[in-house]
């Protein structure tokens, strides 16, 4: 007894795989996955599942970037967004671990408001996307530019991807330095805020901890803070 | 070539897991003064992994009553997929690579960091205290060890001037002295920092706090059984092989042997004829051998060193690995400024011979159209770099 779908597939015979435009198929696959997961983030009602769907949504977007030949952006998406969601997931687990699988209930008014806002944003984005004439059809002969090397050169202040004869464009050295200084300040601030405050009488948990590891020096937090800062300078 | 890479990746993960599990049993036994498996399948018990596999297939698939079913079922696949995906960018030899990525190093490190998702999901969805403890430890460990690991990986990228794994391995062709581990004293030190961080990032002893048997029963996979559990194991062995392969490509000359036999014989790996293919095949064997030695090294460590406590793990990362990596990074930079051509001249390979992936066609060998298209890019780089 054969399953009817399998029988139908056998009747059609082998698919003409050579004629399928795999780029389009994969694009549709990744796009559908991204959209479905994005909807699932909204519809899910507990934090860890939401974070998981968000991870899948962002990973599918990274797949779209790889498909477009933007390997650097794709890897960045994986590293920063998907990796960053990891921390979100950890917080979700820590917040809900007391009473497992709590469902977050949203008020009906909030749902309507959020739906309106989302629909408005989607309408604006769609309209502006379709207004650009060049985006309506696939660009002919467009070749994926080499990703990493020009970006690296531009970060050093040299643009190798400029048009011939055009005005000389500036590199990304200044923005890069500003961003890295900003991150350094943030790291120092975080280390300052998170440092252990000295107490007159140690809490019981600290006594227990020092009993477990008597070799730990008192300035451990300061040491790890400076290590954190030096880690931020790479 | 794509087919060949697919066959290689599948066999390295699936076949590799079988071989490595057997090797782990034998090595553990020898280190502990035992014999290990001796009967299954003849003399050395070499069919033991197969017997284990059949046992795992036949086991009942259990799930705790309070568990979150979807996440519980999904978690092993998430772990395994992350481990599997990273192999796409790992070159086994020149041209033996699933997808030659311009940002290969970055991609592998980024994808490798995603494996922990599966562990956290497994720990959370199991609705068990042991699992949750293991998962949270794993999260803390992986997030902190990504920093020194990234700094170690950046050093070969800086030396090669490229994030393309194929190009990085190409630049180490020639004699043993061309390998980046022997480039200068700083790279030698940073290789060992990389080894430490790699062992920690794949969650192996002495950093296997997430599954500390003495405290947490079995950590994040306490509640798993049968085939689902074996997916976690396959992911672990896949990741071990991956970080070893990455170490081989970044520091140990990739697929280049210690003596450049092929180029002494006048053969080149880049040619499309049979000789070039054979050279690449030998190169592939070279890389597999190096990566296997790396995995065996990890097993040796696992059965030799005791497990660290969580505070010791954090101290190792923040107080030792990260500052050492940062200092070594600066040292390599200064060394490059002081001795741009290396200490000993004559062993190095002229820069013109390196086939930069993005200046040539896909796959590395320049085809006519791609060469014409990329010629302008090469000119522009040549103009700005004297």
């Amino acid at each position: 007894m054969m399953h009817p779908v399998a029988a139908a597939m056998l009747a059609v015979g082998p698919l003409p795989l050579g004629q399928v435009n795999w780029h389009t198929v994969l694009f549709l696959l990744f796009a559908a996955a991204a959209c479905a997961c994005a909807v699932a983030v909204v519809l899910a009602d507990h934090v860890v599942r939401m974070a998981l769907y968000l991870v899948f949504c962002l990973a599918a977007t990274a797949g779209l970037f790889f498909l477009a030949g933007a390997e650097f952006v794709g890897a960045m998406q994986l590293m920063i967004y998907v990796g960053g969601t990891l921390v979100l997931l950890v917080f979700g687990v820590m917040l809900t671990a007391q009473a497992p699988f709590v469902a977050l209930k949203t008020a009906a008014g909030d749902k309507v408001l959020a739906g309106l806002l989302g629909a408005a944003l989607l309408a604006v984005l769609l309209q502006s996307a379709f207004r650009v004439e060049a985006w309506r059809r696939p660009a002919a002969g467009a070749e994926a530019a080499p990703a990493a090397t020009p970006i690296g050169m531009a970060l050093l202040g040299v643009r190798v991807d400029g048009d011939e004869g055009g005005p000389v464009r500036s590199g990304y050295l200044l923005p890069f330095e500003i961003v890295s200084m900003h991150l350094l300040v943030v790291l120092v601030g975080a280390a300052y805020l998170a440092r252990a405050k000295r107490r007159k009488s140690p809490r019981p948990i600290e006594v227990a901890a020092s009993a477990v590891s008597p070799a730990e020096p008192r300035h451990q937090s300061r040491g790890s803070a400076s290590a954190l800062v030096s880690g931020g300078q790479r | 070539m794509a087919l060949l890479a697919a066959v290689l990746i599948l066999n390295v993960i699936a076949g590799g897991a079988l071989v490595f599990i057997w090797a782990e049993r034998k090595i553990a036994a020898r280190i502990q003064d035992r014999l290990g498996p001796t009967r299954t399948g003849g003399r050395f018990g070499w069919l033991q992994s197969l017997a284990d596999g059949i046992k795992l297939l036949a086991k009942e698939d259990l799930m705790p009553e309070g568990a979150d079913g979807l996440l519980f079922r999904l978690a092993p696949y998430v772990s395994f997929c992350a481990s599997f995906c990273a192999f796409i960018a790992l070159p086994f030899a020149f041209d033996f690579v699933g997808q030659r990525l311009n940002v290969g190093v970055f991609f592998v490190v980024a994808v490798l960091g995603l494996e922990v998702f599966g562990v956290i999901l497994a720990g959370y969805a199991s609705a068990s205290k042991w699992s949750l403890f293991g998962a949270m430890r794993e999260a803390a460990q992986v997030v902190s060890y990504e920093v020194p690991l990234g700094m170690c990986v950046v050093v070969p990228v800086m030396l090669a001037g490229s994030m393309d794994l194929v190009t990085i391995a190409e630049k180490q062709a020639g004699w043993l002295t061309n390998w980046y581990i022997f480039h200068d004293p700083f790279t030698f030190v940073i290789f060992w920092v990389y080894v430490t961080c790699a062992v920690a990032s794949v969650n192996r002893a002495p950093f296997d706090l997430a599954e500390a048997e003495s405290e947490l029963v079995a950590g994040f996979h306490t509640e798993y059984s049968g085939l689902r559990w074996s997916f976690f194991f396959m992911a672990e062995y896949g990741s071990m092989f991956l970080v070893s392969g990455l170490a081989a490509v970044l520091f140990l000359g990739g697929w280049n042997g210690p003596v450049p036999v092929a180029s002494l014989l006048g053969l080149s790996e880049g040619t499309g004829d049979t000789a070039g293919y054979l050279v690449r095949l030998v190169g592939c064997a070279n890389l597999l051998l190096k990566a296997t030695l790396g995995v065996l090294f990890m097993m040796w460590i696992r059965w030799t060193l005791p497990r660290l406590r969580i505070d010791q793990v954090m101290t190792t990362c923040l107080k030792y690995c990260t500052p050492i990596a940062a200092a070594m990074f600066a040292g390599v930079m200064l060394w490059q400024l002081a001795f741009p051509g290396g200490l000993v001249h004559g062993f190095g390979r002229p820069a013109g011979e390196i086939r930069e992936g993005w200046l040539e066609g896909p796959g590395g060998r320049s085809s006519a159209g791609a060469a014409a298209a990329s010629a302008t890019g090469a000119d522009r780089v040549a103009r700005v770099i004297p």
Side-chain angles (χ1 to χ4, degrees), chain B residues 124-212:
Chain B
Y124 175 75
S126 295
S128 151
K129 269 183 204 161
W130 309 124
S131 305
L132 193 64
F133 275 135
M136 296 318 282
R137 284 180 177 187
E138 166 91 357
Q141 182 180 324
V142 167
V143 167
S144 35
Y145 270 90
E146 261 185 13
V147 174
L149 187 73
M151 289 168 98
C152 297
V153 161
V154 158
V155 167
V157 170
M158 182 173 72
L159 290 176
S162 170
M163 285 203 280
D164 191 341
L165 283 169
V166 180
T167 310
I168 291 175
E170 277 269 280
K171 293 219 172 182
Q172 304 174 60
W175 292 87
L176 186 71
T177 47
N178 276 9
W179 293 4
Y180 280 154
I181 182 176
F182 301 125
H183 185 270
D184 54 61
F186 303 109
T187 49
F188 189 77
V189 174
I190 213 162
F191 171 73
W192 295 106
V193 179
Y194 172 85
V195 169
T196 312
C197 298
V199 173
S201 73
V202 299
N203 190 25
R204 291 279 296 182
F207 299 99
D208 62 341
L209 290 158
E211 43 176 298

Side-chain angles (χ1 to χ4, degrees), chain A residues 46 48-49 52-53 55-56 66 71-72 75-76 78-79 82-83 85-87 89-90 92-94 96-97 100-102 143 145-150 153 158-164 212-213 216-217 219-220 223-224 227-228 230-231 234, chain B residues 66-71 74 78 99-103 106-107 109-111 113-114 116-117 120-121 124-125 127 132 136 139 142-143 146-147 150-151 154 163 309 311 315 318-319 322-323 326 329 356 358 370 373 376 380-381 383-385:
Chain A
H46 90 250
V48 176
R49 278 197 189 188
L52 179 73
Y53 292 134
V55 165
F56 286 153
F66 280 113
E71 295 158 1
F72 186 74
M76 270 292 179
L78 280 181
M79 188 90 166
V82 182
T85 317
L86 173 71
V87 180
L89 191 69
V90 169
V93 170
M94 287 202 299
T96 58
F101 320 132
V102 224
E143 199 159 313
T149 313
M153 299 294 290
V158 183
R159 291 291 286 265
V160 292
D161 54 341
D163 294 325
E164 295 293 330
V212 169
S213 58
E216 283 298 313
H219 301 298
Q220 182 202 4
S224 59
L228 205 66
S230 63
R234 93 183 128 126
Chain B
D68 186 332
L70 175 74
L71 301 184
L74 212 56
V78 172
Q99 175 71 38
R100 184 172 178 179
L101 286 180
N102 209 307
V103 288
F106 192 29
F107 176 80
V109 173
V111 172
L114 302 185
V116 65
F117 269 116
I120 294 180
L121 286 181
Y124 175 75
L132 193 64
M136 296 318 282
V142 167
V143 167
E146 261 185 13
V147 174
M151 289 168 98
V154 158
M163 285 203 280
R309 277 197 322 262
D311 62 315
T315 310
L318 289 175
K319 275 190 173 171
T322 310
F329 177 69
E356 275 264 13
W358 67 282
T376 51
R380 282 189 208 133
V381 175
R383 259 192 285 121
V384 294
I385 308 173

